Amino acid sequence: MASRARRVVGVCTGAFILASAGCLDGRRVTTHWRWGEALASAHPGITVDPEPIFVHDDGVWTSAGITAGLDLTLALVEADHGHALALAVARELVMFLRRPGGQKQFSPHLAAQTSLSTRLADLVPWMSENLHRPLRVETLAARVGLSPRQFARAFRAETGTTPARLLERLRVEAARRMLEAEGSSLAAVAALCGFGADETMRRAFLRQVGVPPGDYRNRFRAERRLSQPESQRAFIERSLHA
């Protein structure tokens, strides 16, 4: 049936079924991160990428997990019926936005907790809740009962990165969520996320996201506008000018 179908989709470990049927030979695919090595080992003719939440390779779609399958399905709706309808469906499903397929299975928050020991992993949620504070190395070290030098050395040994770089990723992730919502100015977002200044946030966004925060916010405002019914848009515009 796959050979006659316009496209084939495997959600989560459904990739194993498609692989056994020969549908994935020579293709790049993904599956749940826990099973990526097993899939690659059992089917060496497949390129398994464990990071994206879904992958499209010439009519064959695979997703990282069950919830990532929702993002994949919205991508199919968008491919067939356009961006506005996909956003409308996402809103109906109470999904704020469709995540792009290239988004990684682990957020910076989750990835850091996965690679850190218990003592340091407990620090990451606290950092996320206190991004508005300076969070210097001395403050973080005291939080886990280490000297600044011991803390910096242990952190880098366990994560392969520095506390400052992780903190920047956490701040950018928090800023992205705020910019995707209505009503937050760039200055307010920069202050609440601990950047201190608009320019500091701008440089961090260029490093982490590849676009300035203003462009990132405008993109999502445009998407919401496209997804609103004409009558709703007219009502909002009248209200704003009343």
Side-chain angles (χ1 to χ4, degrees):
M1 293 177 65
S3 65
R4 301 192 299 272
R6 180 163 62 96
R7 62 186 166 209
V8 178
V9 177
V11 174
C12 194
T13 51
F16 282 83
I17 299 172
L18 295 183
S20 296
C23 299
L24 305 184
D25 292 346
R27 298 186 185 278
R28 174 177 166 265
V29 304
T30 194
T31 188
H32 189 285
W33 63 268
R34 187 182 297 277
W35 298 101
E37 289 186 7
L39 181 62
S41 177
H43 302 277
I46 299 172
T47 300
V48 179
D49 189 341
E51 292 201 346
I53 60 171
F54 66 83
V55 169
H56 175 212
D57 187 337
D58 192 24
V60 176
W61 300 68
T62 50
S63 82
I66 298 298
T67 53
L70 296 175
D71 297 285
L72 184 158
T73 306
L74 284 172
L76 300 182
V77 172
E78 181 172 9
D80 287 353
H81 302 288
H83 186 65
L85 182 61
L87 285 175
V89 173
R91 187 172 63 248
E92 187 70 22
L93 296 176
V94 200
M95 296 172 64
F96 184 66
L97 287 169
R98 179 179 70 79
R99 295 179 294 173
Q103 182 167 322
K104 294 187 177 182
Q105 295 188 31
F106 286 106
S107 67
H109 189 182
L110 276 176
Q113 287 182 288
T114 301
S115 58
L116 288 172
S117 62
T118 301
R119 177 168 60 173
L120 295 184
D122 290 341
L123 180 66
V124 178
W126 183 84
M127 292 169 65
S128 296
E129 293 167 2
N130 291 273
L131 293 174
H132 59 286
R133 300 175 59 183
L135 297 185
R136 298 183 179 88
V137 170
E138 292 80 6
T139 303
L140 301 176
R143 182 80 186 175
V144 295
L146 295 173
S147 71
R149 180 175 295 182
Q150 288 174 320
F151 171 73
R153 185 166 55 244
F155 197 96
R156 189 173 188 103
E158 293 186 28
T159 68
T161 190
T162 65
R165 287 175 182 167
L166 173 63
L167 182 58
E168 179 177 276
R169 290 201 295 269
L170 292 174
R171 282 180 166 148
V172 168
E173 184 179 37
R176 287 174 65 170
R177 290 195 300 268
M178 293 184 67
L179 291 171
E180 289 164 7
E182 294 276 9
S184 297
S185 68
L186 294 181
V189 172
L192 289 171
C193 294
F195 288 107
D198 293 6
E199 182 58 26
T200 304
M201 182 170 72
R202 182 179 181 276
R203 291 196 298 267
F205 258 71
L206 289 173
R207 283 190 294 267
Q208 300 289 336
V209 185
V211 297
D215 290 356
Y216 187 87
R217 181 186 59 185
N218 292 338
R219 168 193 166 194
F220 286 103
R221 283 182 174 176
E223 288 179 347
R224 279 194 298 271
R225 183 176 177 83
L226 283 173
S227 67
Q228 290 172 343
E230 185 62 35
S231 58
Q232 183 180 356
R233 289 205 301 271
F235 173 78
I236 292 173
E237 289 172 354
R238 286 197 303 271
S239 299
L240 290 173
H241 292 94

